Amino acid sequence: MIHPAPAGISTPALVVDLDTVEDNIARMARIATERGFEVRPHIKTHKTPQLAALQRASGASGLTVATIGEAEAFADAAFDDLFIAYPLWLDQARSNRLRRLADRAQVTVGVDSVPAARRLGAANLPVEVMIEVDSGHHRSGVAPGDAVGPALAAVEAGLRLRGLFTFPGHAYHPGARIRAARDEATALATAADALRAAGLHPTVLSGGSTPTAAYTRPGTVTELRPGVYVFNDAQQLALGACSPDQIGLAAATTVVSAPEPGRFVLDAGSKVLGADRPPWAPGFGFLPAFPEAVVTALSEHHAVVTAPPGHPIPTIGETTFIVPNHVCSAVNLADSLVVTRGGTVVDHWPVSARGANR
Amino acid sequence: MIHPAPAGISTPALVVDLDTVEDNIARMARIATERGFEVRPHIKTHKTPQLAALQRASGASGLTVATIGEAEAFADAAFDDLFIAYPLWLDQARSNRLRRLADRAQVTVGVDSVPAARRLGAANLPVEVMIEVDSGHHRSGVAPGDAVGPALAAVEAGLRLRGLFTFPGHAYHPGARIRAARDEATALATAADALRAAGLHPTVLSGGSTPTAAYTRPGTVTELRPGVYVFNDAQQLALGACSPDQIGLAAATTVVSAPEPGRFVLDAGSKVLGADRPPWAPGFGFLPAFPEAVVTALSEHHAVVTAPPGHPIPTIGETTFIVPNHVCSAVNLADSLVVTRGGTVVDHWPVSARGANR
């Protein structure tokens, strides 16, 4: 976001810098070519078919989604290779939706337990499965050595096993990116060996993530599922995973209050930016025009910003950008994105899968 | 949420317990009567006309909103007394929208600076103003002794001054509620005295908030603008501002993963619950059925929960409730609310003003 916020945008609004986004997509495609993996971008970040189309044009092998609702929205937009990278637990409604989805797309589903594998198999759906492995984030996923259980259960239940996936989310800490990329490779290799020893044949080994992609060693994964890289955000900046000029989305805001020297208030709060703030983040967002300023507090409609003495601050009524900590949360709050190129508004894109979180 | 999650709800979904909500609304109305103030509930919490109608039926004097968009949504639902408790900075688009809004409702707008007062006056809109005073939260609002500046500017610009408002948001810390209520009263009294000394006549003295309402002393405010009380949430519980049986909204979730003893994963993350977590909160939410469990991490679609050894945990596939930390964030993520009474689904209400954050 090297440009000032374009004039005439009623704030707060999420603004995309298309030149930067295209650069980000091309950069990830280059990394993938160099290191020999496919990119299956996670669309939870943008939820916007126009952006998925740019990713497809850069060579994306298919899309990753988190929910059946996201898959439905992208099937509506004619994307036909969709991996729901989530350990779904099927109820009747979800089973019915998956069946209709599989009529119009190749659908792959995550599994991380024997009960879920059996349940999915019993539903007799034309979907393939990927077994989720925990590579150190300790969220969902079985320990690498335990992948055989759900994998065998899936195969015995009549499902086709595509492979293994993991999310190295423990990369989201300062200094942790290299280790997390190594953990990802080790976990996938350990689980793949275990599956092969059990007579199974995982063909896809799928990893994360925007902060680890640059550290992926050739031959350790067959695909990555990065999401945030298309926009980047204040977290990626703080992690060192992007530079300020690689940030492709920010909220255009207005200074609505400047009650005392060194403190001002922007009209974007947690209902525009999201409330994400890991303990290591310097604040609730990043102001490209005032990089020394700190977003010290975030209410629903107020970002309270303080600047150290002697640093410039904007005046009341001025428009400025704020980059959210976690862009996926911000986009999921917006009905549409203002698309710019070179500081000029060129389009508005609906966030088609906004709220499709079920 | 004393009931188990009703069967047949596809998770994740926000579920309202209408009996509890009605009790909460009635309780606030009783406090208001006892302590001699009007209730002008802040609808940012629920964004739902059906709930505002219940508040009106309990005697609410009008509604508080945070944005012109929320005001428009509630004017659409025939609410005609709307206070935008926010220091609006008018651009042409906002000016046009306010003018159309004022055709169909009595509109009051917040002001906390001389420039904003002059700008509002220059737009020549049929709106009244309230001057925002900082009572200790240090967000927007002028220092109490400085309220005369924007108040005089507003009157000189031809606007009618209704009074003063403040939000004692510093009540959102353990042990701070009594002091914040006292600060609120002091700030409003100081500012009102200053205005009267300048020949002005503030008739409305308007304060917060769910955690301070019970500590409001008679005669210190003429109205309060609580929002969260209609549902309560895990923050209010941690602050001691409600009991578990006064929680009127929770997310129905499914256990999708249970990768190791004592840890399980629910299918509601920050895109359903919001990512709000003040440093003093025990976790990212509260599980009524497993009160000893801690939501240690929240991804976009995963709540990672740990339970101390020896405490029961739900099994994979089981449905359970999770109460969000900050209910206003959760509701703003949902397209609709599942309305229950006695554990039975009785209705679905659209969150009409969801995303109306501009």
Side-chain angles (χ1 to χ4, degrees):
Chain A
M1 308 303 298
I2 54 172
H3 309 287
I9 294 178
S10 210
T11 64
L14 297 190
V15 178
V16 172
D17 181 344
L18 203 47
D19 289 331
T20 304
V21 164
E22 289 174 351
D23 285 352
N24 291 343
I25 292 173
R27 187 179 318 106
M28 185 61 77
R30 277 198 306 276
I31 293 173
T33 302
E34 285 165 16
R35 298 180 179 241
F37 57 79
E38 303 282 327
V39 180
R40 181 182 284 274
H42 205 313
I43 60 75
K44 55 131 187 171
T45 299
H46 56 66
K47 292 178 176 261
T48 302
Q50 287 91 336
L51 286 159
L54 293 177
Q55 293 171 314
R56 181 167 56 187
S58 83
S61 62
L63 299 180
T64 306
V65 302
T67 65
I68 298 175
E70 286 182 344
E72 289 166 339
F74 281 80
D76 287 348
F79 291 89
D80 62 1
D81 180 355
L82 303 167
F83 171 33
I84 305 171
Y86 193 82
L88 288 185
W89 182 264
L90 283 199
D91 60 8
Q92 192 58 51
R94 275 190 279 269
S95 178
N96 295 343
R97 291 167 69 196
L98 266 189
R99 188 178 304 281
R100 290 192 295 269
L101 189 64
D103 283 342
R104 51 193 184 132
Q106 179 182 332
V107 177
T108 307
V109 172
V111 163
D112 88 341
S113 68
V114 171
R118 290 186 178 145
R119 205 168 167 90
L120 188 62
N124 198 24
L125 300 168
V127 300
E128 303 190 345
V129 300
M130 298 271 283
I131 306 301
E132 185 174 9
V133 172
D134 179 1
S135 55
H137 187 36
H138 306 321
R139 189 173 69 178
S140 48
V142 291
D146 295 341
V148 172
L152 275 179
V155 170
E156 285 164 8
L159 294 159
R160 186 171 165 269
L161 177 71
R162 285 191 75 217
L164 298 158
F165 77 109
T166 192
F167 174 62
H170 56 312
Y172 279 72
H173 287 274
R177 295 164 60 209
I178 294 175
R179 181 173 60 82
R182 197 169 54 220
D183 291 346
E184 170 182 271
T186 304
L188 289 172
T190 302
D193 286 347
L195 260 57
R196 289 188 200 107
L200 299 171
H201 305 286
T203 53
V204 177
L205 301 182
S206 178
S209 84
T210 295
T212 54
Y215 298 110
T216 302
R217 281 175 299 180
T220 58
V221 300
T222 66
E223 74 173 24
L224 285 195
R225 307 181 315 280
V228 172
Y229 76 100
V230 66
F231 293 136
N232 290 310
D233 56 24
Q235 280 193 145
Q236 298 299 328
L237 188 66
L239 290 171
C242 75
S243 59
D245 66 337
Q246 293 170 351
I247 291 172
L249 181 146
T253 65
T254 300
V255 179
V256 292
S257 179
E260 63 177 358
R263 173 159 62 95
F264 59 97
V265 179
L266 304 175
D267 64 349
S270 60
K271 283 180 173 171
V272 169
L273 303 169
D276 301 65
R277 186 186 178 183
W280 45 265
F284 287 95
F286 170 70
L287 276 62
F290 304 94
E292 306 296 328
V294 179
V295 186
T296 51
L298 206 64
S299 302
E300 285 155 67
H301 299 281
H302 305 70
V304 180
V305 191
T306 58
H311 282 81
I313 67 168
T315 56
I316 191 164
E318 197 172 321
T319 303
T320 197
F321 277 130
I322 179 170
V323 178
N325 269 350
H326 187 190
V327 70
C328 310
S329 292
V331 170
N332 183 51
L333 290 160
D335 292 320
S336 64
L337 305 174
V338 180
V339 184
T340 68
R341 206 186 274 282
T344 301
V345 176
V346 295
D347 212 343
H348 291 80
W349 289 344
V351 182
S352 303
R354 195 221 69 74
N357 298 320
R358 185 181 300 149
Chain B
M1 309 301 298
I2 52 171
H3 308 288
I9 294 178
S10 210
T11 63
L14 297 190
V15 178
V16 172
D17 180 343
L18 203 47
D19 289 330
T20 304
V21 164
E22 288 174 351
D23 285 350
N24 291 343
I25 292 173
R27 186 180 317 105
M28 185 61 77
R30 276 199 306 276
I31 293 173
T33 302
E34 284 166 16
R35 297 180 181 242
F37 56 80
E38 302 284 326
V39 180
R40 181 182 284 273
H42 206 313
I43 60 74
K44 55 130 187 173
T45 299
H46 55 67
K47 291 176 175 265
T48 302
Q50 287 90 336
L51 286 158
L54 293 178
Q55 292 170 315
R56 182 166 55 187
S58 83
S61 62
L63 300 180
T64 306
V65 302
T67 65
I68 298 175
E70 286 182 344
E72 290 166 340
F74 281 80
D76 288 348
F79 290 89
D80 62 1
D81 180 354
L82 303 167
F83 170 33
I84 305 173
Y86 193 81
L88 288 185
W89 182 264
L90 282 199
D91 61 6
Q92 192 58 52
R94 275 189 279 268
S95 179
N96 294 343
R97 290 168 68 196
L98 266 189
R99 188 177 304 281
R100 289 192 295 270
L101 188 66
D103 283 343
R104 51 195 184 130
Q106 179 182 331
V107 177
T108 306
V109 172
V111 163
D112 88 340
S113 69
V114 172
R118 290 187 178 145
R119 206 169 166 89
L120 188 63
N124 198 23
L125 301 168
V127 301
E128 303 189 346
V129 299
M130 297 273 283
I131 307 301
E132 185 175 7
V133 172
D134 180 0
S135 54
H137 187 35
H138 306 320
R139 189 173 69 176
S140 49
V142 291
D146 296 341
V148 172
L152 275 178
V155 171
E156 286 164 7
L159 294 159
R160 185 169 168 272
L161 177 72
R162 285 191 75 216
L164 297 158
F165 76 108
T166 192
F167 174 62
H170 55 312
Y172 280 72
H173 288 273
R177 295 164 61 209
I178 293 174
R179 181 173 60 81
R182 197 169 53 220
D183 291 346
E184 169 182 271
T186 303
L188 289 171
T190 302
D193 286 347
L195 260 57
R196 289 188 201 107
L200 298 171
H201 305 286
T203 52
V204 177
L205 302 181
S206 178
S209 81
T210 296
T212 54
Y215 298 111
T216 302
R217 281 174 300 178
T220 59
V221 301
T222 66
E223 73 172 25
L224 285 194
R225 309 182 314 282
V228 171
Y229 76 99
V230 65
F231 294 136
N232 291 308
D233 55 24
Q235 281 193 144
Q236 298 300 327
L237 188 66
L239 290 171
C242 74
S243 59
D245 66 338
Q246 292 169 351
I247 292 172
L249 181 146
T253 65
T254 300
V255 179
V256 292
S257 179
E260 64 178 358
R263 174 160 60 94
F264 59 96
V265 179
L266 304 175
D267 64 350
S270 59
K271 283 179 172 170
V272 169
L273 303 169
D276 301 65
R277 186 187 177 183
W280 45 264
F284 287 95
F286 170 71
L287 276 63
F290 303 95
E292 306 296 327
V294 178
V295 185
T296 52
L298 206 64
S299 304
E300 287 156 66
H301 299 281
H302 305 69
V304 180
V305 191
T306 58
H311 282 82
I313 67 168
T315 55
I316 192 164
E318 196 172 320
T319 303
T320 196
F321 277 129
I322 177 170
V323 178
N325 268 349
H326 187 189
V327 70
C328 309
S329 293
V331 170
N332 183 51
L333 290 160
D335 292 321
S336 64
L337 305 175
V338 180
V339 184
T340 67
R341 206 186 274 284
T344 301
V345 176
V346 295
D347 212 341
H348 292 79
W349 288 344
V351 183
S352 303
R354 195 221 68 76
N357 297 320
R358 186 183 300 149

